[in-house]
Amino acid sequence: MRAFALSLVALAACLFPAAGLADTTPKPRAETQVPAEHAAWTRLLSTYVKSSSDGITRVDYAALAASQKDRAALDAYIARFAEADLSAKTDANFATWSNLYNAVTVRHIVARYPVKSIRDGYLTGPWKEVKVRAGGDEVSLDAIEHRILRKTWGTPEVHYAINCASYSCPNLPAKAWEASTLKRDLDAAARAYVNHPRGVTVTSKGISASEIYNWFEADFGGSKEKVVAHLLKYAEPDLAAKIRANPKIVRYQYNWSLNDAAKLKKTVKP
């Protein structure tokens, strides 16, 4: 009889577990995800970066210039990193420095808008003159690109992460770089650029490539052959076949005109 009673107790424990055990249930995946560090920049990008059928993203600088609230939000986002420790070689800091470069560039254009090019009013460009306090120091755009991103990380993907507000530059993404998705997003950015005519075009004479692969040849392996190998890494099958059939770089090109969404509006018929 006692054995029968114990069996009933054991069966009840299986069918009706103690309430306290429910607390050990794993939390849903969404509740354990790392929050977006750069959500404020993503909001601005998603609002003002416009995609188009030609595969190039452009910025609605006029709209941002007209929004006092969002210009203040941009200032506040940039100021967040003034005294932050950004010295470690991590994906999080790569994302932060790249986002800062892009945000400061957008702010610079908005402050001078309308302009036809980021180089308007400068002999060679504003990169050494435009500065921001970040990481506890005052740094220029030039320093962020060359002394921090290129020197510290030493990866060719740096050039797909930063945007110089120009037609021929790799796209400014419609969302911020985040450490949690950095490698995947950089890969997508590289593929988008390499497979766009402003990145690579192959003719019967050979390859016409962006000047980025000339200016920063050392970052892509140090020779034209290494550059071609880099292009093949990201090229879609049709483009890869064309490159292999004629793998010689014969010219470089670059268009410095502003990546301005106003140009898109002019092409839309009433």
Side-chain angles (χ1 to χ4, degrees):
M1 187 67 178
R2 186 169 179 272
F4 178 74
L6 289 174
S7 298
L8 288 177
V9 171
L11 179 61
C14 293
L15 294 176
F16 306 102
L21 295 179
D23 294 337
T24 65
T25 303
K27 292 182 179 180
R29 185 181 182 90
E31 293 180 20
T32 59
Q33 288 181 342
V34 177
E37 173 72 12
H38 303 280
W41 180 226
T42 286
R43 184 188 71 79
L44 292 169
L45 288 169
S46 64
T47 301
Y48 295 103
V49 172
K50 310 297 180 182
S51 299
S52 61
S53 59
D54 64 3
I56 301 175
T57 64
R58 294 174 175 82
V59 182
D60 195 343
Y61 295 109
L64 180 53
S67 174
Q68 185 175 356
K69 178 181 178 182
D70 280 346
R71 291 183 69 173
L74 177 58
D75 289 340
Y77 168 74
I78 293 171
R80 282 179 51 198
F81 305 99
E83 305 302 330
D85 182 358
L86 304 175
S87 58
K89 185 180 178 181
T90 63
D91 285 353
N93 284 343
F94 181 98
T96 295
W97 282 117
S98 300
N99 286 329
L100 273 172
Y101 184 100
N102 293 339
V104 172
T105 298
V106 167
R107 182 169 69 176
H108 173 71
I109 296 297
V110 167
R112 302 180 68 238
Y113 193 81
V115 291
K116 293 182 178 180
S117 169
I118 191 174
R119 302 200 301 179
D120 284 2
Y122 299 91
L123 187 61
T124 57
W127 296 282
K128 290 184 178 181
E129 296 184 33
V130 177
K131 299 178 180 181
V132 63
R133 186 164 184 81
D137 196 10
E138 185 178 63
V139 291
S140 65
L141 288 175
D142 185 85
I144 293 174
E145 179 178 5
H146 303 296
R147 180 167 59 83
I148 297 172
L149 285 169
R150 291 182 64 216
K151 184 176 181 180
T152 302
W153 279 271
T155 171
E157 281 70 35
V158 166
H159 301 289
Y160 304 115
I162 56 177
N163 180 271
C164 63
S166 302
Y167 175 90
S168 286
C169 198
N171 279 338
L172 180 65
K175 65 175 184 177
W177 303 111
E178 295 282 359
S180 60
T181 58
L182 184 64
K183 289 180 173 60
R184 181 184 68 202
D185 291 343
L186 283 175
D187 183 82
R191 291 185 186 282
Y193 191 66
V194 168
N195 290 283
H196 192 277
R198 74 193 192 288
V200 179
T201 301
V202 184
T203 69
S204 59
K205 295 181 180 180
I207 300 169
S208 174
S210 166
E211 280 281 8
I212 288 174
Y213 302 113
N214 181 33
W215 296 327
F216 304 107
E217 185 179 275
D219 295 358
F220 295 96
S223 68
K224 287 182 172 58
E225 290 74 22
K226 293 290 187 180
V227 169
V228 170
H230 172 85
L231 300 179
L232 285 170
K233 176 182 177 182
Y234 293 106
E236 297 296 337
D238 287 349
L239 178 62
K242 293 177 181 178
I243 292 173
R244 290 191 179 96
N246 209 340
K248 183 179 180 180
I249 298 176
V250 294
R251 67 185 291 266
Y252 298 100
Q253 43 77 30
Y254 207 83
N255 182 343
W256 283 104
S257 62
L258 192 69
N259 60 342
D260 191 352
K263 297 175 182 178
L264 295 176
K265 295 176 183 178
K266 292 179 181 179
T267 63
V268 177
K269 296 181 180 180

